[in-house]
């Protein structure tokens, strides 16, 4: 699963957003740091490995603005664009 975050109340790049992805009994956490590293830059897209799982039970995004957004029943193997709710 790949995630592109877009902030509305938070900064547009969603820098500082914390994302939790739950499949079965496993929860993975990713921090949107912008993809900038020493002397290089990576794509800011977040990647989450799901193994053999075909659906995600829950995605929780903690936006820098304090908003918490939850999505459920998401299919695996896609690029998902998540826009902060206002």
């Amino acid at each position: 699963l790949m995630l592109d975050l877009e902030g509305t109340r938070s900064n547009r790049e969603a820098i500082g957003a914390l994302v939790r992805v739950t499949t079965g009994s496993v929860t993975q956490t990713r921090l949107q740091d912008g993809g900038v590293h020493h002397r290089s830059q990576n794509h800011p897209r977040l990647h989450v490995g799901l193994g053999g799982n075909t659906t995600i039970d829950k995605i929780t995004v903690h936006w820098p603005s304090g908003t918490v957004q939850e999505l459920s029943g998401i299919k695996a193997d896609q690029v998902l664009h998540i826009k902060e709710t206002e």
Side-chain angles (χ1 to χ4, degrees):
L1 176 70
M2 293 177 277
L3 302 171
D4 287 333
L5 303 179
E6 180 184 346
T8 55
R9 291 181 33 199
S10 301
N11 60 83
R12 183 168 171 80
E13 294 81 22
I15 305 298
L18 184 70
V19 180
R20 290 194 171 96
V21 177
T22 302
T23 51
S25 62
V26 176
T27 298
Q28 298 182 60
T29 303
R30 299 288 184 273
L31 175 66
Q32 179 58 281
D33 64 359
V36 179
H37 304 283
H38 182 68
R39 295 189 182 178
S40 66
Q41 183 172 349
N42 295 333
H43 197 286
R45 182 173 285 161
L46 300 176
H47 294 252
V48 180
L50 302 173
N53 293 301
T54 57
T55 59
I56 294 99
D57 296 327
K58 182 169 65 169
I59 298 174
T60 306
V61 182
H62 296 265
W63 296 94
S65 67
T67 300
V68 177
Q69 188 173 351
E70 288 191 355
L71 298 95
S72 59
I74 306 295
K75 293 187 186 235
D77 298 325
Q78 66 170 313
V79 176
L80 181 63
H81 179 89
I82 303 175
K83 187 172 183 177
E84 181 179 16
T85 55
E86 296 189 29

